[in-house]
PDB file of all heavy atoms in Angstrom:
ATOM      1  N   MET J   1      23.478 -28.684  53.531  1.00  0.00           N
ATOM      2  CA  MET J   1      23.625 -28.595  52.133  1.00  0.00           C
ATOM      3  C   MET J   1      25.050 -28.125  51.833  1.00  0.00           C
ATOM      4  O   MET J   1      25.387 -26.969  51.997  1.00  0.00           O
ATOM      5  CB  MET J   1      22.582 -27.610  51.673  1.00  0.00           C
ATOM      6  CG  MET J   1      22.569 -27.345  50.285  1.00  0.00           C
ATOM      7  SD  MET J   1      21.085 -26.385  50.106  1.00  0.00           S
ATOM      8  CE  MET J   1      20.967 -26.248  48.524  1.00  0.00           C
ATOM      9  N   SER J   2      25.876 -28.952  51.421  1.00  0.00           N
ATOM     10  CA  SER J   2      27.259 -28.621  51.122  1.00  0.00           C
ATOM     11  C   SER J   2      27.470 -28.687  49.621  1.00  0.00           C
ATOM     12  O   SER J   2      26.943 -29.556  48.960  1.00  0.00           O
ATOM     13  CB  SER J   2      28.205 -29.547  51.849  1.00  0.00           C
ATOM     14  OG  SER J   2      28.140 -30.826  51.296  1.00  0.00           O
ATOM     15  N   GLN J   3      28.246 -27.777  49.171  1.00  0.00           N
ATOM     16  CA  GLN J   3      28.537 -27.737  47.741  1.00  0.00           C
ATOM     17  C   GLN J   3      30.034 -27.918  47.555  1.00  0.00           C
ATOM     18  O   GLN J   3      30.836 -27.392  48.308  1.00  0.00           O
ATOM     19  CB  GLN J   3      28.124 -26.400  47.143  1.00  0.00           C
ATOM     20  CG  GLN J   3      26.652 -26.174  47.185  1.00  0.00           C
ATOM     21  CD  GLN J   3      26.305 -24.810  46.582  1.00  0.00           C
ATOM     22  OE1 GLN J   3      27.170 -24.008  46.341  1.00  0.00           O
ATOM     23  NE2 GLN J   3      25.029 -24.594  46.345  1.00  0.00           N
ATOM     24  N   ASN J   4      30.385 -28.633  46.583  1.00  0.00           N
ATOM     25  CA  ASN J   4      31.784 -28.779  46.229  1.00  0.00           C
ATOM     26  C   ASN J   4      32.124 -27.706  45.194  1.00  0.00           C
ATOM     27  O   ASN J   4      31.538 -27.667  44.135  1.00  0.00           O
ATOM     28  CB  ASN J   4      32.058 -30.161  45.637  1.00  0.00           C
ATOM     29  CG  ASN J   4      31.950 -31.226  46.702  1.00  0.00           C
ATOM     30  OD1 ASN J   4      32.042 -30.917  47.879  1.00  0.00           O
ATOM     31  ND2 ASN J   4      31.758 -32.459  46.278  1.00  0.00           N
ATOM     32  N   PHE J   5      33.078 -26.853  45.579  1.00  0.00           N
ATOM     33  CA  PHE J   5      33.481 -25.789  44.667  1.00  0.00           C
ATOM     34  C   PHE J   5      34.965 -25.928  44.387  1.00  0.00           C
ATOM     35  O   PHE J   5      35.776 -25.964  45.292  1.00  0.00           O
ATOM     36  CB  PHE J   5      33.202 -24.400  45.280  1.00  0.00           C
ATOM     37  CG  PHE J   5      33.666 -23.262  44.413  1.00  0.00           C
ATOM     38  CD1 PHE J   5      32.963 -22.940  43.262  1.00  0.00           C
ATOM     39  CD2 PHE J   5      34.788 -22.539  44.725  1.00  0.00           C
ATOM     40  CE1 PHE J   5      33.378 -21.902  42.467  1.00  0.00           C
ATOM     41  CE2 PHE J   5      35.222 -21.505  43.933  1.00  0.00           C
ATOM     42  CZ  PHE J   5      34.504 -21.174  42.791  1.00  0.00           C
ATOM     43  N   THR J   6      35.303 -25.978  43.163  1.00  0.00           N
ATOM     44  CA  THR J   6      36.689 -26.061  42.756  1.00  0.00           C
ATOM     45  C   THR J   6      37.066 -24.726  42.122  1.00  0.00           C
ATOM     46  O   THR J   6      36.405 -24.274  41.190  1.00  0.00           O
ATOM     47  CB  THR J   6      36.884 -27.169  41.710  1.00  0.00           C
ATOM     48  OG1 THR J   6      36.188 -28.325  42.140  1.00  0.00           O
ATOM     49  CG2 THR J   6      38.345 -27.469  41.519  1.00  0.00           C
ATOM     50  N   PRO J   7      38.120 -24.085  42.670  1.00  0.00           N
ATOM     51  CA  PRO J   7      38.512 -22.803  42.085  1.00  0.00           C
ATOM     52  C   PRO J   7      39.023 -23.008  40.664  1.00  0.00           C
ATOM     53  O   PRO J   7      39.535 -24.072  40.328  1.00  0.00           O
ATOM     54  CB  PRO J   7      39.623 -22.283  42.999  1.00  0.00           C
ATOM     55  CG  PRO J   7      40.107 -23.471  43.725  1.00  0.00           C
ATOM     56  CD  PRO J   7      38.977 -24.460  43.772  1.00  0.00           C
ATOM     57  N   PRO J   8      38.863 -21.998  39.827  1.00  0.00           N
ATOM     58  CA  PRO J   8      39.314 -22.151  38.438  1.00  0.00           C
ATOM     59  C   PRO J   8      40.838 -22.260  38.371  1.00  0.00           C
ATOM     60  O   PRO J   8      41.556 -21.725  39.199  1.00  0.00           O
ATOM     61  CB  PRO J   8      38.823 -20.879  37.744  1.00  0.00           C
ATOM     62  CG  PRO J   8      38.639 -19.891  38.841  1.00  0.00           C
ATOM     63  CD  PRO J   8      38.285 -20.687  40.068  1.00  0.00           C
ATOM     64  N   ALA J   9      41.289 -22.971  37.400  1.00  0.00           N
ATOM     65  CA  ALA J   9      42.731 -23.128  37.189  1.00  0.00           C
ATOM     66  C   ALA J   9      43.320 -21.806  36.711  1.00  0.00           C
ATOM     67  O   ALA J   9      42.656 -21.053  35.998  1.00  0.00           O
ATOM     68  CB  ALA J   9      42.985 -24.220  36.162  1.00  0.00           C
ATOM     69  N   PRO J  10      44.547 -21.525  37.126  1.00  0.00           N
ATOM     70  CA  PRO J  10      45.149 -20.264  36.645  1.00  0.00           C
ATOM     71  C   PRO J  10      45.345 -20.328  35.136  1.00  0.00           C
ATOM     72  O   PRO J  10      45.748 -21.346  34.595  1.00  0.00           O
ATOM     73  CB  PRO J  10      46.481 -20.197  37.377  1.00  0.00           C
ATOM     74  CG  PRO J  10      46.752 -21.577  37.826  1.00  0.00           C
ATOM     75  CD  PRO J  10      45.428 -22.275  37.960  1.00  0.00           C
ATOM     76  N   ASP J  11      45.015 -19.210  34.505  1.00  0.00           N
ATOM     77  CA  ASP J  11      45.179 -19.219  33.060  1.00  0.00           C
ATOM     78  C   ASP J  11      46.634 -18.924  32.690  1.00  0.00           C
ATOM     79  O   ASP J  11      47.400 -18.388  33.472  1.00  0.00           O
ATOM     80  CB  ASP J  11      44.233 -18.247  32.350  1.00  0.00           C
ATOM     81  CG  ASP J  11      44.009 -16.953  33.065  1.00  0.00           C
ATOM     82  OD1 ASP J  11      44.331 -16.888  34.248  1.00  0.00           O
ATOM     83  OD2 ASP J  11      43.500 -16.023  32.439  1.00  0.00           O
ATOM     84  N   SER J  12      46.956 -19.300  31.524  1.00  0.00           N
ATOM     85  CA  SER J  12      48.341 -19.152  31.095  1.00  0.00           C
ATOM     86  C   SER J  12      48.665 -17.715  30.676  1.00  0.00           C
ATOM     87  O   SER J  12      49.785 -17.409  30.336  1.00  0.00           O
ATOM     88  CB  SER J  12      48.621 -20.103  29.928  1.00  0.00           C
ATOM     89  OG  SER J  12      47.763 -19.754  28.855  1.00  0.00           O
ATOM     90  N   PHE J  13      47.685 -16.839  30.697  1.00  0.00           N
ATOM     91  CA  PHE J  13      47.901 -15.457  30.284  1.00  0.00           C
ATOM     92  C   PHE J  13      48.041 -14.539  31.487  1.00  0.00           C
ATOM     93  O   PHE J  13      47.608 -13.409  31.491  1.00  0.00           O
ATOM     94  CB  PHE J  13      46.741 -14.998  29.391  1.00  0.00           C
ATOM     95  CG  PHE J  13      46.987 -13.652  28.784  1.00  0.00           C
ATOM     96  CD1 PHE J  13      47.964 -13.471  27.824  1.00  0.00           C
ATOM     97  CD2 PHE J  13      46.266 -12.553  29.186  1.00  0.00           C
ATOM     98  CE1 PHE J  13      48.203 -12.232  27.278  1.00  0.00           C
ATOM     99  CE2 PHE J  13      46.500 -11.295  28.637  1.00  0.00           C
ATOM    100  CZ  PHE J  13      47.462 -11.142  27.677  1.00  0.00           C
ATOM    101  N   THR J  14      48.689 -14.981  32.544  1.00  0.00           N
ATOM    102  CA  THR J  14      48.936 -14.137  33.710  1.00  0.00           C
ATOM    103  C   THR J  14      50.114 -13.220  33.396  1.00  0.00           C
ATOM    104  O   THR J  14      51.171 -13.675  32.983  1.00  0.00           O
ATOM    105  CB  THR J  14      49.259 -14.994  34.948  1.00  0.00           C
ATOM    106  OG1 THR J  14      48.219 -15.944  35.124  1.00  0.00           O
ATOM    107  CG2 THR J  14      49.390 -14.132  36.178  1.00  0.00           C
ATOM    108  N   ALA J  15      49.905 -11.928  33.588  1.00  0.00           N
ATOM    109  CA  ALA J  15      50.943 -10.951  33.252  1.00  0.00           C
ATOM    110  C   ALA J  15      52.092 -11.040  34.249  1.00  0.00           C
ATOM    111  O   ALA J  15      51.885 -11.064  35.455  1.00  0.00           O
ATOM    112  CB  ALA J  15      50.360  -9.550  33.259  1.00  0.00           C
ATOM    113  N   ALA J  16      53.288 -11.095  33.722  1.00  0.00           N
ATOM    114  CA  ALA J  16      54.478 -11.121  34.565  1.00  0.00           C
ATOM    115  C   ALA J  16      54.808  -9.685  34.988  1.00  0.00           C
ATOM    116  O   ALA J  16      54.495  -8.738  34.271  1.00  0.00           O
ATOM    117  CB  ALA J  16      55.648 -11.713  33.804  1.00  0.00           C
ATOM    118  N   PRO J  17      55.414  -9.532  36.160  1.00  0.00           N
ATOM    119  CA  PRO J  17      55.779  -8.173  36.563  1.00  0.00           C
ATOM    120  C   PRO J  17      56.803  -7.566  35.601  1.00  0.00           C
ATOM    121  O   PRO J  17      57.632  -8.269  35.039  1.00  0.00           O
ATOM    122  CB  PRO J  17      56.375  -8.345  37.959  1.00  0.00           C
ATOM    123  CG  PRO J  17      56.727  -9.779  38.057  1.00  0.00           C
ATOM    124  CD  PRO J  17      55.809 -10.521  37.132  1.00  0.00           C
ATOM    125  N   ALA J  18      56.713  -6.287  35.423  1.00  0.00           N
ATOM    126  CA  ALA J  18      57.617  -5.593  34.503  1.00  0.00           C
ATOM    127  C   ALA J  18      59.038  -5.618  35.066  1.00  0.00           C
ATOM    128  O   ALA J  18      59.235  -5.483  36.271  1.00  0.00           O
ATOM    129  CB  ALA J  18      57.169  -4.152  34.314  1.00  0.00           C
ATOM    130  N   PRO J  19      60.027  -5.790  34.212  1.00  0.00           N
ATOM    131  CA  PRO J  19      61.414  -5.798  34.704  1.00  0.00           C
ATOM    132  C   PRO J  19      61.805  -4.393  35.177  1.00  0.00           C
ATOM    133  O   PRO J  19      61.287  -3.388  34.708  1.00  0.00           O
ATOM    134  CB  PRO J  19      62.236  -6.210  33.486  1.00  0.00           C
ATOM    135  CG  PRO J  19      61.383  -5.874  32.316  1.00  0.00           C
ATOM    136  CD  PRO J  19      59.958  -6.020  32.785  1.00  0.00           C
ATOM    137  N   ALA J  20      62.722  -4.361  36.109  1.00  0.00           N
ATOM    138  CA  ALA J  20      63.196  -3.083  36.631  1.00  0.00           C
ATOM    139  C   ALA J  20      63.924  -2.327  35.526  1.00  0.00           C
ATOM    140  O   ALA J  20      64.649  -2.913  34.732  1.00  0.00           O
ATOM    141  CB  ALA J  20      64.122  -3.303  37.813  1.00  0.00           C
ATOM    142  N   ARG J  21      63.719  -1.031  35.506  1.00  0.00           N
ATOM    143  CA  ARG J  21      64.349  -0.203  34.482  1.00  0.00           C
ATOM    144  C   ARG J  21      65.836  -0.072  34.789  1.00  0.00           C
ATOM    145  O   ARG J  21      66.233   0.338  35.865  1.00  0.00           O
ATOM    146  CB  ARG J  21      63.693   1.167  34.470  1.00  0.00           C
ATOM    147  CG  ARG J  21      64.218   2.047  33.391  1.00  0.00           C
ATOM    148  CD  ARG J  21      63.375   3.295  33.273  1.00  0.00           C
ATOM    149  NE  ARG J  21      63.970   4.134  32.259  1.00  0.00           N
ATOM    150  CZ  ARG J  21      64.428   5.349  32.490  1.00  0.00           C
ATOM    151  NH1 ARG J  21      64.326   5.869  33.672  1.00  0.00           N
ATOM    152  NH2 ARG J  21      64.956   6.050  31.530  1.00  0.00           N
ATOM    153  N   SER J  22      66.644  -0.407  33.812  1.00  0.00           N
ATOM    154  CA  SER J  22      68.087  -0.381  34.040  1.00  0.00           C
ATOM    155  C   SER J  22      68.680   0.988  33.762  1.00  0.00           C
ATOM    156  O   SER J  22      69.714   1.336  34.309  1.00  0.00           O
ATOM    157  CB  SER J  22      68.770  -1.434  33.174  1.00  0.00           C
ATOM    158  OG  SER J  22      68.562  -1.134  31.806  1.00  0.00           O
ATOM    159  N   GLY J  23      68.079   1.772  32.936  1.00  0.00           N
ATOM    160  CA  GLY J  23      68.586   3.107  32.651  1.00  0.00           C
ATOM    161  C   GLY J  23      69.470   3.127  31.422  1.00  0.00           C
ATOM    162  O   GLY J  23      69.881   2.105  30.893  1.00  0.00           O
ATOM    163  N   ASN J  24      69.763   4.312  30.986  1.00  0.00           N
ATOM    164  CA  ASN J  24      70.570   4.531  29.797  1.00  0.00           C
ATOM    165  C   ASN J  24      71.786   5.356  30.208  1.00  0.00           C
ATOM    166  O   ASN J  24      71.660   6.531  30.539  1.00  0.00           O
ATOM    167  CB  ASN J  24      69.727   5.268  28.753  1.00  0.00           C
ATOM    168  CG  ASN J  24      70.437   5.478  27.451  1.00  0.00           C
ATOM    169  OD1 ASN J  24      71.661   5.391  27.371  1.00  0.00           O
ATOM    170  ND2 ASN J  24      69.666   5.763  26.418  1.00  0.00           N
ATOM    171  N   ILE J  25      72.952   4.762  30.193  1.00  0.00           N
ATOM    172  CA  ILE J  25      74.151   5.430  30.682  1.00  0.00           C
ATOM    173  C   ILE J  25      74.543   6.603  29.786  1.00  0.00           C
ATOM    174  O   ILE J  25      75.003   7.638  30.275  1.00  0.00           O
ATOM    175  CB  ILE J  25      75.333   4.434  30.857  1.00  0.00           C
ATOM    176  CG1 ILE J  25      76.502   5.098  31.582  1.00  0.00           C
ATOM    177  CG2 ILE J  25      75.772   3.883  29.524  1.00  0.00           C
ATOM    178  CD1 ILE J  25      76.230   5.410  33.012  1.00  0.00           C
ATOM    179  N   GLY J  26      74.329   6.485  28.491  1.00  0.00           N
ATOM    180  CA  GLY J  26      74.644   7.591  27.591  1.00  0.00           C
ATOM    181  C   GLY J  26      73.775   8.807  27.864  1.00  0.00           C
ATOM    182  O   GLY J  26      74.260   9.948  27.909  1.00  0.00           O
ATOM    183  N   LEU J  27      72.493   8.567  28.061  1.00  0.00           N
ATOM    184  CA  LEU J  27      71.578   9.655  28.387  1.00  0.00           C
ATOM    185  C   LEU J  27      71.891  10.234  29.761  1.00  0.00           C
ATOM    186  O   LEU J  27      71.778  11.442  29.970  1.00  0.00           O
ATOM    187  CB  LEU J  27      70.134   9.152  28.332  1.00  0.00           C
ATOM    188  CG  LEU J  27      69.036  10.181  28.456  1.00  0.00           C
ATOM    189  CD1 LEU J  27      69.135  11.200  27.331  1.00  0.00           C
ATOM    190  CD2 LEU J  27      67.680   9.494  28.428  1.00  0.00           C
ATOM    191  N   ALA J  28      72.316   9.383  30.678  1.00  0.00           N
ATOM    192  CA  ALA J  28      72.690   9.858  32.019  1.00  0.00           C
ATOM    193  C   ALA J  28      73.906  10.773  31.947  1.00  0.00           C
ATOM    194  O   ALA J  28      73.953  11.812  32.621  1.00  0.00           O
ATOM    195  CB  ALA J  28      72.970   8.674  32.937  1.00  0.00           C
ATOM    196  N   ILE J  29      74.891  10.422  31.134  1.00  0.00           N
ATOM    197  CA  ILE J  29      76.080  11.265  30.987  1.00  0.00           C
ATOM    198  C   ILE J  29      75.704  12.611  30.380  1.00  0.00           C
ATOM    199  O   ILE J  29      76.113  13.665  30.872  1.00  0.00           O
ATOM    200  CB  ILE J  29      77.149  10.545  30.134  1.00  0.00           C
ATOM    201  CG1 ILE J  29      77.696   9.337  30.877  1.00  0.00           C
ATOM    202  CG2 ILE J  29      78.268  11.497  29.746  1.00  0.00           C
ATOM    203  CD1 ILE J  29      78.565   8.435  30.032  1.00  0.00           C
ATOM    204  N   LEU J  30      74.898  12.571  29.333  1.00  0.00           N
ATOM    205  CA  LEU J  30      74.486  13.813  28.679  1.00  0.00           C
ATOM    206  C   LEU J  30      73.657  14.688  29.616  1.00  0.00           C
ATOM    207  O   LEU J  30      73.914  15.889  29.752  1.00  0.00           O
ATOM    208  CB  LEU J  30      73.697  13.501  27.408  1.00  0.00           C
ATOM    209  CG  LEU J  30      73.176  14.708  26.633  1.00  0.00           C
ATOM    210  CD1 LEU J  30      74.344  15.511  26.076  1.00  0.00           C
ATOM    211  CD2 LEU J  30      72.253  14.260  25.521  1.00  0.00           C
ATOM    212  N   GLY J  31      72.691  14.089  30.277  1.00  0.00           N
ATOM    213  CA  GLY J  31      71.844  14.855  31.188  1.00  0.00           C
ATOM    214  C   GLY J  31      72.615  15.418  32.374  1.00  0.00           C
ATOM    215  O   GLY J  31      72.408  16.567  32.778  1.00  0.00           O
ATOM    216  N   ALA J  32      73.523  14.634  32.920  1.00  0.00           N
ATOM    217  CA  ALA J  32      74.320  15.108  34.052  1.00  0.00           C
ATOM    218  C   ALA J  32      75.284  16.206  33.621  1.00  0.00           C
ATOM    219  O   ALA J  32      75.525  17.150  34.377  1.00  0.00           O
ATOM    220  CB  ALA J  32      75.077  13.940  34.685  1.00  0.00           C
ATOM    221  N   ALA J  33      75.830  16.106  32.407  1.00  0.00           N
ATOM    222  CA  ALA J  33      76.735  17.151  31.919  1.00  0.00           C
ATOM    223  C   ALA J  33      75.991  18.467  31.717  1.00  0.00           C
ATOM    224  O   ALA J  33      76.490  19.538  32.102  1.00  0.00           O
ATOM    225  CB  ALA J  33      77.392  16.707  30.614  1.00  0.00           C
ATOM    226  N   VAL J  34      74.804  18.394  31.142  1.00  0.00           N
ATOM    227  CA  VAL J  34      73.998  19.615  30.957  1.00  0.00           C
ATOM    228  C   VAL J  34      73.609  20.189  32.313  1.00  0.00           C
ATOM    229  O   VAL J  34      73.682  21.405  32.533  1.00  0.00           O
ATOM    230  CB  VAL J  34      72.761  19.309  30.089  1.00  0.00           C
ATOM    231  CG1 VAL J  34      71.783  20.476  30.094  1.00  0.00           C
ATOM    232  CG2 VAL J  34      73.182  18.981  28.667  1.00  0.00           C
ATOM    233  N   THR J  35      73.227  19.329  33.232  1.00  0.00           N
ATOM    234  CA  THR J  35      72.867  19.792  34.574  1.00  0.00           C
ATOM    235  C   THR J  35      74.060  20.433  35.269  1.00  0.00           C
ATOM    236  O   THR J  35      73.917  21.442  35.965  1.00  0.00           O
ATOM    237  CB  THR J  35      72.326  18.622  35.419  1.00  0.00           C
ATOM    238  OG1 THR J  35      71.212  18.051  34.744  1.00  0.00           O
ATOM    239  CG2 THR J  35      71.905  19.083  36.794  1.00  0.00           C
ATOM    240  N   ALA J  36      75.247  19.859  35.106  1.00  0.00           N
ATOM    241  CA  ALA J  36      76.449  20.430  35.718  1.00  0.00           C
ATOM    242  C   ALA J  36      76.714  21.832  35.185  1.00  0.00           C
ATOM    243  O   ALA J  36      77.053  22.741  35.956  1.00  0.00           O
ATOM    244  CB  ALA J  36      77.654  19.527  35.452  1.00  0.00           C
ATOM    245  N   LEU J  37      76.545  22.024  33.889  1.00  0.00           N
ATOM    246  CA  LEU J  37      76.779  23.350  33.308  1.00  0.00           C
ATOM    247  C   LEU J  37      75.722  24.358  33.760  1.00  0.00           C
ATOM    248  O   LEU J  37      76.047  25.500  34.099  1.00  0.00           O
ATOM    249  CB  LEU J  37      76.827  23.260  31.788  1.00  0.00           C
ATOM    250  CG  LEU J  37      78.056  22.584  31.210  1.00  0.00           C
ATOM    251  CD1 LEU J  37      77.951  22.483  29.693  1.00  0.00           C
ATOM    252  CD2 LEU J  37      79.316  23.315  31.606  1.00  0.00           C
ATOM    253  N   VAL J  38      74.472  23.941  33.769  1.00  0.00           N
ATOM    254  CA  VAL J  38      73.399  24.860  34.167  1.00  0.00           C
ATOM    255  C   VAL J  38      73.498  25.189  35.655  1.00  0.00           C
ATOM    256  O   VAL J  38      73.418  26.356  36.056  1.00  0.00           O
ATOM    257  CB  VAL J  38      72.017  24.263  33.815  1.00  0.00           C
ATOM    258  CG1 VAL J  38      70.893  25.083  34.411  1.00  0.00           C
ATOM    259  CG2 VAL J  38      71.856  24.169  32.307  1.00  0.00           C
ATOM    260  N   ALA J  39      73.691  24.177  36.484  1.00  0.00           N
ATOM    261  CA  ALA J  39      73.804  24.419  37.925  1.00  0.00           C
ATOM    262  C   ALA J  39      75.086  25.191  38.239  1.00  0.00           C
ATOM    263  O   ALA J  39      75.094  26.059  39.120  1.00  0.00           O
ATOM    264  CB  ALA J  39      73.767  23.100  38.691  1.00  0.00           C
ATOM    265  N   GLY J  40      76.168  24.900  37.530  1.00  0.00           N
ATOM    266  CA  GLY J  40      77.405  25.649  37.713  1.00  0.00           C
ATOM    267  C   GLY J  40      77.241  27.103  37.310  1.00  0.00           C
ATOM    268  O   GLY J  40      77.779  28.004  37.965  1.00  0.00           O
ATOM    269  N   ALA J  41      76.487  27.348  36.244  1.00  0.00           N
ATOM    270  CA  ALA J  41      76.231  28.726  35.828  1.00  0.00           C
ATOM    271  C   ALA J  41      75.394  29.462  36.878  1.00  0.00           C
ATOM    272  O   ALA J  41      75.650  30.638  37.170  1.00  0.00           O
ATOM    273  CB  ALA J  41      75.525  28.750  34.478  1.00  0.00           C
ATOM    274  N   ALA J  42      74.430  28.776  37.451  1.00  0.00           N
ATOM    275  CA  ALA J  42      73.637  29.397  38.523  1.00  0.00           C
ATOM    276  C   ALA J  42      74.514  29.689  39.737  1.00  0.00           C
ATOM    277  O   ALA J  42      74.404  30.754  40.366  1.00  0.00           O
ATOM    278  CB  ALA J  42      72.480  28.482  38.910  1.00  0.00           C
ATOM    279  N   TYR J  43      75.399  28.759  40.063  1.00  0.00           N
ATOM    280  CA  TYR J  43      76.336  28.942  41.167  1.00  0.00           C
ATOM    281  C   TYR J  43      77.257  30.129  40.906  1.00  0.00           C
ATOM    282  O   TYR J  43      77.463  30.985  41.771  1.00  0.00           O
ATOM    283  CB  TYR J  43      77.133  27.646  41.351  1.00  0.00           C
ATOM    284  CG  TYR J  43      78.183  27.664  42.428  1.00  0.00           C
ATOM    285  CD1 TYR J  43      77.885  28.067  43.721  1.00  0.00           C
ATOM    286  CD2 TYR J  43      79.481  27.240  42.166  1.00  0.00           C
ATOM    287  CE1 TYR J  43      78.860  28.058  44.717  1.00  0.00           C
ATOM    288  CE2 TYR J  43      80.443  27.218  43.144  1.00  0.00           C
ATOM    289  CZ  TYR J  43      80.135  27.636  44.421  1.00  0.00           C
ATOM    290  OH  TYR J  43      81.095  27.627  45.401  1.00  0.00           O
ATOM    291  N   GLY J  44      77.798  30.207  39.696  1.00  0.00           N
ATOM    292  CA  GLY J  44      78.669  31.317  39.335  1.00  0.00           C
ATOM    293  C   GLY J  44      77.938  32.645  39.297  1.00  0.00           C
ATOM    294  O   GLY J  44      78.467  33.672  39.715  1.00  0.00           O
ATOM    295  N   GLY J  45      76.705  32.629  38.799  1.00  0.00           N
ATOM    296  CA  GLY J  45      75.914  33.849  38.786  1.00  0.00           C
ATOM    297  C   GLY J  45      75.618  34.351  40.186  1.00  0.00           C
ATOM    298  O   GLY J  45      75.685  35.560  40.455  1.00  0.00           O
ATOM    299  N   LEU J  46      75.342  33.417  41.080  1.00  0.00           N
ATOM    300  CA  LEU J  46      75.103  33.783  42.482  1.00  0.00           C
ATOM    301  C   LEU J  46      76.366  34.354  43.116  1.00  0.00           C
ATOM    302  O   LEU J  46      76.321  35.398  43.777  1.00  0.00           O
ATOM    303  CB  LEU J  46      74.622  32.563  43.268  1.00  0.00           C
ATOM    304  CG  LEU J  46      74.371  32.755  44.753  1.00  0.00           C
ATOM    305  CD1 LEU J  46      73.195  33.704  44.964  1.00  0.00           C
ATOM    306  CD2 LEU J  46      74.107  31.421  45.417  1.00  0.00           C
ATOM    307  N   MET J  47      77.499  33.693  42.893  1.00  0.00           N
ATOM    308  CA  MET J  47      78.757  34.194  43.450  1.00  0.00           C
ATOM    309  C   MET J  47      79.131  35.545  42.853  1.00  0.00           C
ATOM    310  O   MET J  47      79.625  36.431  43.550  1.00  0.00           O
ATOM    311  CB  MET J  47      79.907  33.208  43.199  1.00  0.00           C
ATOM    312  CG  MET J  47      79.886  32.003  44.085  1.00  0.00           C
ATOM    313  SD  MET J  47      81.404  31.035  43.985  1.00  0.00           S
ATOM    314  CE  MET J  47      81.521  30.649  42.259  1.00  0.00           C
TER     315      MET J  47
END
């Protein structure tokens, strides 16, 4: 007893993978500057 089975066709609503996050250079500059001041203050306080 053999059955013919045809898999369903792919639907057109297949989710595409999310694009890689490129980042925000302005936010990176601001965050790195704040981090530099805070980490530098910790370094100076330790010294």
